Every structure is written in structure tokens, then in C-alpha cells.
Amino acid sequence: MCTRILWNDNPIAKTVSRCMDWSVSDEPELWFVPRGTERGGTGDTDAHAWRSRYSSVVTSMWSMGTVDGLNEKGLGAHALYLDPEDVSFPDPDGRPSVPNALWVQYLLDNYATVAEAVADINSIRITSPTFRGIELGIHIALEDATGDSAIIEPLDGTLVVHHGPEYTVMANSPTLDKQLENLARYRPFGGELPPPGDITSSDRFVRSSYFLHYLPEPANLEEAVAGVFQLIANVSVPYGAPYSTGDVYPTWWRSGADLTNRVYYFGSTRSPNIFWITLDDLADGSQVRRIDPRQLTLVGDQTENLQPGVLPY
């Protein structure tokens, strides 16, 4: 279970956070991907090939794809789990295809704003190959330095787009329209119910929306970043906590981004620390670089400590 929260109505900076909740570690690695990186050759006969227009700092999952990131123009993108029974990807139709594991990277590579990405959303076909032997349903959250936002969900063979700055929260299933319908039962969103306290996706969506609504205006950039990290911690699941089905879905890591100033933040829940990468200091670089974000001692600005690496996907 994961959550994404965008704070786009404060005067200091547009900031965003997300958490990664899973039954096992997704073995994250953090990468700098330079503009000009070649992509494609995924085995699909319709596989799309492209060269990245923009550099990005991204987090990979199981060395198989990009799950989160920020590009040099201030566009952020995040893949969150959506129950496979809710998801239906398009059938082959002649369009070039991109696997869902590279969807986030494709968006960061090619677009500077949410509006650009949404306008071009149907130029490719998203596929869903097996991921470690299972088929994962996902949906995408996008936001940019203007505060614009979009939630993209593959439903009934098409990509359903909710586009506008009002779409500040995303969780997992159910689909966004049903999450918003449920939200309307709670105050101050039209209903009278108080904020709930469970760790289900629907309750986390409501709590995120509730506390985001009441965040006070930040006095400085530090408070603008701290605000979204405080909110994402509020909907994170402590390690070892039982999920409602009896399984354990802890939060493994939390990331954030200052979209205005193009800084990417990361914190493992096994560490008390948060570190960050300043994308402007890397954006013109031509070499792929990496750092292991699971190092428990990482803290503060780690931009200079990324080492040369080879992308595994």
C-alpha cells in the first residue's frame, strides 16, 4: 500500500511526498539518468524506442523499472499499486508500447509539464508484462513546478485521466473516482464523519486529504518540505504492524520532492535520517550515476556522493 500527497497551494514551494508499502522490500536504488539516454528493446514486437529529452533522479524497484522520480524541469512521477482486478490495459492496436515498469521513466524522460504529458497520453500503449512472476496493476500520479497534477488509471482498456491541481492525493484501490466519492462522506469535504484511523487505502486517502487541508502556511522552504514528510509519515505503516488481512505491509521508504527547486528527497524507514539530491547540480551530466539509498548513515545533501553506474533496465 502506498500514498502520494502534493502540497501545491503554499507560496514557498510546490512539494510532494510518497511512501512505498509492500510485503517485502522492493530493493530500491537511486539513480541519476542523464538526458540522451537510449531506451527500448523490451521484447515486445511493438516496443517503443526513445532517447530521453530530460535528465532525472529516480528510484528503481527490484532493478526492473522506475517507480518514482523527478526530472530537471520539475516534473514528478510516481507509480502506485492498483489492484489488478481494477486494471485493464489496452490491447495491441499498432501503437508503440511501453511496459508499465518503464512508464514513470518514459514520462520523466519526455515531458516538462503535466499538461504536455496529458496531451500526449495516447501516443503510446502501456503493457503489463509479469513482474517477478506476477502481473502488477499500477496507476500514475504526476505533478509539476506550476502545481498542476494528474492521476492516470488504466481502466477498461483505456487510460482515464483526472487532470487539475485539485488532485493532490492518491492512494491504492479503489479507483480515484470511488476514493473521491468516499471522501465526500467526511468533513470538511461535504460530510459529517471525522477522519478515520485505519491503514486501509480508503482511510489513508481520507486522512491525507484531511491533514493536507489544515497544513498551515510554511514560513520557509524547510517547512514546505517538512510539511509533506509529516503528512506521509502519518499514513505510513510501522514495520511489523499487522495489515487488516493478516499480512504485513510495512512502509519501506518515503520520498519527496521540491518541484520548485528540483531537489529529490529520500528516507528509509530503517533509518532516522533523510538525504537529498540537488538535480540542478547534476542535470548537465552525461554519465549514469547511482547511490544505495538503504545505507542507514546517509543524511543531508548526497549529490556529490553518487557514483558511476550501469542501469540494469
Side-chain angles (χ1 to χ4, degrees):
M1 299 296 179
C2 311
T3 308
R4 169 268 204 174
I5 303 169
L6 170 64
W7 194 9
N8 58 3
D9 63 353
N10 77 77
I12 302 296
K14 313 304 181 187
T15 56
V16 65
S17 61
R18 68 84 53 86
C19 57
M20 170 58 78
D21 304 355
W22 202 251
S23 57
V24 296
S25 172
D26 64 319
E27 303 167 11
E29 291 185 276
L30 196 149
W31 300 87
F32 167 69
V33 183
R35 66 178 83 98
T37 300
E38 301 282 354
R39 293 285 185 179
T42 59
D44 190 318
T45 56
D46 296 323
H48 185 38
W50 72 91
R51 175 180 293 178
S52 62
R53 298 178 60 195
Y54 305 111
S55 58
S56 59
V57 172
V58 302
T59 300
S60 64
M61 181 176 186
W62 291 330
S63 297
M64 298 176 69
T66 299
V67 73
D68 195 73
L70 172 72
N71 78 12
E72 63 177 290
K73 295 298 184 180
L75 180 73
H78 323 272
L80 276 65
Y81 182 78
L82 186 63
D83 286 342
E85 56 264 31
D86 291 328
V87 172
S88 174
F89 289 93
D91 293 326
D93 55 13
R95 286 180 295 167
S97 67
V98 173
N100 54 9
L102 287 179
W103 196 0
V104 165
Q105 191 65 59
Y106 171 81
L107 293 164
L108 296 175
D109 284 350
N110 288 285
Y111 302 105
T113 67
V114 171
E116 283 183 12
V118 168
D120 203 33
I121 199 69
N122 290 314
S123 64
I124 59 166
R125 177 175 60 88
I126 303 300
T127 64
S128 184
T130 56
F131 207 54
R132 283 200 169 185
I134 58 176
E135 185 173 348
L136 291 181
I138 66 169
H139 51 173
I140 299 289
L142 290 175
E143 65 279 328
D144 65 30
T146 72
D148 200 6
S149 174
I151 308 299
I152 307 166
E153 297 183 319
L155 310 175
D156 298 323
T158 190
L159 297 180
V160 176
V161 179
H162 302 267
H163 180 199
E166 67 270 27
Y167 299 111
T168 53
V169 174
M170 187 170 82
N172 304 115
S173 292
T175 54
L176 182 63
D177 57 344
K178 294 178 181 177
Q179 294 276 27
L180 293 172
E181 181 181 345
N182 178 61
L183 180 65
R185 301 167 54 225
Y186 294 85
R187 59 176 186 260
F189 306 105
E192 294 299 324
L193 292 175
D198 205 344
I199 56 176
T200 64
S201 174
S202 294
D203 282 6
R204 287 183 292 109
F205 187 97
V206 174
R207 285 213 314 283
S208 298
S209 302
Y210 179 87
F211 289 111
L212 177 62
H213 179 81
Y214 289 109
L215 263 184
E217 182 175 305
N220 49 50
L221 183 58
E222 288 77 14
E223 289 187 5
V225 175
V228 290
F229 268 97
Q230 181 183 16
L231 294 186
I232 207 65
N234 183 58
V235 292
S236 298
V237 181
Y239 185 69
Y243 189 62
S244 56
T245 62
D247 297 323
V248 175
Y249 288 81
T251 299
W252 293 90
W253 52 264
R254 294 183 282 258
S255 70
D258 171 355
L259 306 164
T260 302
N261 299 290
R262 298 163 299 282
V263 180
Y264 187 74
Y265 295 83
F266 193 97
S268 167
T269 55
R270 305 304 179 268
S271 169
N273 304 324
I274 291 176
F275 71 92
W276 56 87
I277 306 296
T278 303
L279 187 48
D280 284 2
D281 292 343
L282 296 171
D284 292 331
S286 59
Q287 187 176 34
V288 172
R289 305 182 74 86
R290 67 171 294 278
I291 195 169
D292 180 0
R294 290 169 286 174
Q295 298 177 64
L296 301 185
T297 57
L298 293 178
V299 63
D301 191 344
Q302 295 293 316
T303 308
E304 294 185 356
N305 294 326
L306 273 70
Q307 299 299 313
V310 178
L311 281 169
Y313 57 92

